[in-house]
């Protein structure tokens, strides 16, 4: 058994003009695929080869000798999650339970949007911006490199990849424009809402 590159729910050109097919070709078919293949090389013939991706991440997260394993496992997980967080003609304010939660936790969608854009643009270097559930609260956080909130006891609801490889072909150094396009035109709120847990984790 080995870890696999999960299929996308949309065509490579489906997120245009916000994310080009060319970016998706590199990002999904080269970067994401490489994390999955490196992970398979690292676990070959050892117990983590039979674990879930989440368990591999949790067990390697704080292990000094497990950094390569954690980085590749977490990047495989983060990318699979990021693709699920987007859909063509997405973005804007959510409705339903998540709209209420954003209101209760941030004072409304606009304030959440500002917090998310701030976290994504101020993350120094490579990383990820997240909307997470922490106990009963929702929070916006950023993580660096491959780091993932799941291994810190938080439940990811939404993420945006802010590694340069996510936007450089389309936006060059304008990360803020990429993150705005993500929030305003691509977010799959139905998927984010499906990740909400009723009780504190
Ligand atoms: Zn990426």
């Amino acid at each position: 058994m080995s870890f696999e590159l999960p299929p996308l729910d949309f065509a490579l050109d489906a997120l245009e003009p916000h994310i080009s097919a060319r970016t998706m070709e590199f990002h999904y078919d080269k970067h994401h695929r490489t994390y999955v293949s490196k992970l398979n090389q690292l676990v070959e013939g050892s117990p983590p080869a039979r674990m879930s991706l989440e368990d591999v991440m949790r067990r390697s997260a704080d292990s000094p000798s497990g950094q390569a394993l954690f980085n590749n496992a977490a990047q495989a997980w983060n990318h699979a999650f990021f693709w699920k967080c987007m859909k063509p003609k997405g973005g804007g304010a959510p409705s339903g339970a998540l709209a209420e939660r954003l209101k209760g936790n941030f004072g409304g969608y606009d304030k959440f949007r500002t917090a998310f854009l701030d976290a994504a643009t101020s993350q120094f270097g490579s990383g990820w911006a997240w909307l997470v559930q922490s106990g009963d609260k929702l929070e916006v956080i950023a993580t660096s490199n491959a780091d993932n909130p799941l291994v810190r006891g938080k439940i990811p609801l939404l993420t945006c990849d802010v590694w340069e490889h996510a936007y450089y072909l389309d936006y060059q150094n304008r990360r803020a424009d990429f993150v705005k396009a993500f929030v305003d035109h691509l977010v799959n709120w139905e998927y984010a809402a499906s990740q909400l847990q009723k009780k504190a984790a």
Side-chain angles (χ1 to χ4, degrees):
M1 201 181 109
S2 60
F3 295 101
E4 286 178 6
L5 182 70
L8 291 174
D9 294 332
F10 43 79
L12 290 173
D13 63 358
L15 305 181
E16 288 191 345
H18 311 294
I19 297 180
S20 67
R22 188 163 160 75
T23 289
M24 286 301 299
E25 280 164 23
F26 277 94
H27 201 177
Y28 171 70
D29 212 31
K30 301 268 192 285
H31 290 283
H32 189 180
R33 186 182 294 282
T34 301
Y35 293 124
V36 175
S37 358
K38 281 195 182 152
L39 172 64
N40 282 324
Q41 287 167 23
L42 289 166
V43 299
E44 200 182 349
S46 69
R50 294 180 297 278
M51 291 176 193
S52 69
L53 198 48
E54 288 84 357
D55 282 344
V56 176
M57 286 195 308
R58 287 192 184 102
R59 282 164 165 256
S60 57
D62 294 315
S63 151
S65 60
Q67 278 314 292
L69 185 56
F70 175 75
N71 287 337
N72 286 285
Q75 284 294 80
W77 194 97
N78 293 350
H79 282 88
F81 187 74
F82 177 49
W83 309 134
K84 290 280 184 192
C85 288
M86 295 188 287
K87 64 172 192 180
K89 298 192 169 65
S95 54
L98 204 42
E100 289 304 310
R101 301 293 292 267
L102 294 184
K103 200 172 165 188
N105 284 270
F106 299 97
Y109 171 76
D110 290 344
K111 287 188 175 147
F112 153 77
R113 181 180 178 277
T114 302
F116 194 87
L117 295 178
D118 282 352
T121 49
S122 60
Q123 166 57 33
F124 185 76
S126 296
W128 300 79
W130 306 84
L131 172 65
V132 298
Q133 181 175 353
S134 178
D136 290 328
K137 279 178 54 189
L138 301 195
E139 296 171 353
V140 165
I141 59 169
T143 60
S144 67
N145 298 318
D147 205 7
N148 176 304
L150 207 56
V151 301
R152 315 279 168 224
K154 297 174 196 283
I155 300 157
L157 304 179
L158 180 74
T159 196
C160 184
D161 187 343
V162 296
W163 284 56
E164 277 192 347
H165 68 218
Y167 59 87
Y168 209 83
L169 289 176
D170 298 330
Y171 297 88
Q172 291 76 49
N173 61 324
R174 291 175 290 114
R175 183 193 287 186
D177 290 348
F178 162 66
V179 182
K180 272 183 204 155
F182 170 84
V183 172
D184 295 342
H185 302 286
L186 297 173
V187 170
N188 184 343
W189 282 117
E190 293 76 20
Y191 182 73
S194 76
Q195 302 302 300
L196 272 172
Q197 311 270 314
K198 290 208 170 65
K199 289 197 174 155

